[in-house]
Amino acid sequence: MSSAPHAGNVEVFKARTNKWFAWLSWAVACFGVVATVVMAGPAALAGIAPLAFVAFMGWQLFWMPSVVVADAGVTLENPFRSIEVPWAALVHVDTRFALTLVTAEKSYTSWAAPAPGIWGGRHARPEDLRGLPATTYGPGKSVRPGDLKTTDSGQAALLVRARWHELVEGGKLDADASSAAVTVTVRWVAIGAVVLLLAASYLAVTAR
């Protein structure tokens, strides 16, 4: 997990395992480029589009996604969409399959904070179940595997719920309906880059 303060009262969550996958994809791409040059010479670099696609997807799918928690709301930075959920629009925080922000109209899932599944709680320790925000607990103080502090979804949910509770208790929650609209921004540049790299990869493979 990466949970570091940024400018202002902002915290950013990134799953550590996602970073490992990103580094792995970049290592594969770099190895492929080196092997291509060694075996076929610099001229062969014209056909490395498939390796560039692997490197780009490592960034887009694993390194870039995050959960950004700020006083204004929560932003889910997903591979192809950025979703800004104001606190006034938030109704519930769910972790059944991944960190999911539930509003009155729709639910929004974070790519950066997946839940561990039904077996994720097998190694839970008593301290992992204590000190969580009150909204974490179900009937009989039960806790879902996805809410455990040791999981990606649980760590991200803890940040969201803790800030939400802090704002509610401090009377700082903006209840203005005009500020409660969820903003979804499509990453058209990223989508275009994927399409172009896929097309270039197809041409590179078929041209051989």
Side-chain angles (χ1 to χ4, degrees):
M1 179 192 78
S2 171
S3 172
H6 285 228
N9 194 15
V10 177
E11 292 176 291
V12 180
F13 171 86
K14 290 189 176 184
R16 184 175 301 171
T17 51
N18 281 4
K19 291 185 176 182
W20 293 342
F21 284 122
W23 281 110
L24 177 61
S25 66
W26 296 338
V28 169
C30 288
F31 177 80
V33 170
V34 172
T36 298
V37 172
V38 170
M39 296 177 64
L45 289 176
I48 64 167
L51 296 173
F53 176 75
V54 170
F56 179 76
M57 295 310 290
W59 162 269
Q60 198 66 26
L61 296 181
F62 302 116
W63 190 271
M64 184 275 296
S66 63
V67 178
V68 183
V69 181
D71 286 340
V74 184
T75 301
L76 305 180
E77 299 290 2
N78 287 344
F80 301 108
R81 294 196 309 169
S82 178
I83 305 163
E84 299 178 33
V85 181
W87 293 113
L90 188 61
V91 174
H92 177 60
V93 178
D94 187 44
T95 60
R96 183 178 181 184
F97 301 112
L99 174 70
T100 302
L101 305 182
V102 182
T103 70
E105 298 180 352
K106 196 173 180 180
S107 298
Y108 303 92
T109 300
S110 170
W111 180 276
I118 192 171
W119 300 108
R122 286 186 301 171
H123 304 295
R125 299 166 298 180
E127 54 266 31
D128 296 332
L129 309 177
R130 295 195 293 262
L132 298 172
T135 53
T136 304
Y137 300 100
K141 298 288 285 184
S142 61
V143 175
R144 274 182 170 172
D147 284 323
L148 296 173
K149 298 177 183 178
T150 52
T151 66
D152 292 336
S153 56
Q155 291 171 11
L158 180 59
L159 288 179
V160 174
R161 288 168 173 149
R163 182 67 65 89
W164 194 13
H165 178 77
E166 175 187 330
L167 293 172
V168 170
E169 290 298 308
K172 300 177 181 179
L173 186 62
D174 186 1
D176 183 3
S178 63
S179 67
V182 175
T183 303
V184 179
T185 304
V186 179
R187 301 184 187 278
W188 291 112
V189 173
I191 294 173
V194 170
V195 172
L196 288 175
L197 285 172
L198 279 175
S201 298
Y202 174 78
L203 292 175
V205 172
T206 56
R208 293 175 181 175

